[in-house]
Amino acid sequence: MDAIRTEPLTKEEKTELTALLSKLRILPHQGQVILHCNNSRVAKVEPHVVIACRGGEGREKAEQKLQYYRDSARKAQAAGDKELADRFRSWAVNLEKILAEEG
């Protein structure tokens, strides 16, 4: 397939892709997944945390999520799952940047 696909995924395709990404353990708890492609192949799959931080309630929820990510990283590290710990740390860093920008 050399053309760029412009139509959205079907319900079945979404279900299949979600299942595959879940097996790879890269789905964020909240946010987006970015697929980087090269030569008709997936080159990289990157979770991208997106949280609305505007307003008092939104910021409070974002700070709670940040603490959850930090706690989860510590728990994963203690359990010996370095990959999962690194993933939670990465999400925490991204969220910290978002919160800093929203000031």
Side-chain angles (χ1 to χ4, degrees):
M1 182 172 163
D2 293 328
I4 296 174
R5 178 178 170 162
T6 57
E7 64 272 357
L9 295 174
T10 65
K11 183 178 179 181
E12 294 79 20
E13 289 171 324
K14 286 180 188 177
T15 300
E16 185 178 346
L17 182 58
T18 299
L20 289 171
L21 293 174
S22 180
K23 286 180 183 178
L24 293 173
R25 296 175 40 182
I26 59 170
L27 288 177
H29 293 294
Q30 180 175 347
Q32 303 170 346
V33 175
I34 302 168
L35 299 175
H36 300 269
C37 300
N38 188 5
N39 296 325
S40 300
R41 295 183 182 260
V42 175
K44 180 180 178 183
V45 181
E46 177 182 11
H48 180 71
V49 178
V50 179
I51 295 181
C53 312
R54 294 192 186 356
E57 186 178 314
R59 183 166 187 87
E60 183 179 320
K61 286 182 181 181
E63 288 172 352
Q64 290 172 356
K65 183 63 77 172
L66 176 59
Q67 188 60 47
Y68 170 78
Y69 289 156
R70 288 175 176 159
D71 293 343
S72 297
R74 280 192 285 275
K75 288 176 187 175
Q77 187 70 40
D81 192 338
K82 183 181 178 333
E83 182 181 337
L84 184 59
D86 289 345
R87 187 173 309 124
F88 276 115
R89 279 192 209 98
S90 173
W91 293 346
V93 167
N94 288 339
L95 186 51
E96 285 173 333
K97 289 177 186 175
I98 292 169
L99 287 168
E101 289 172 4
E102 295 292 325

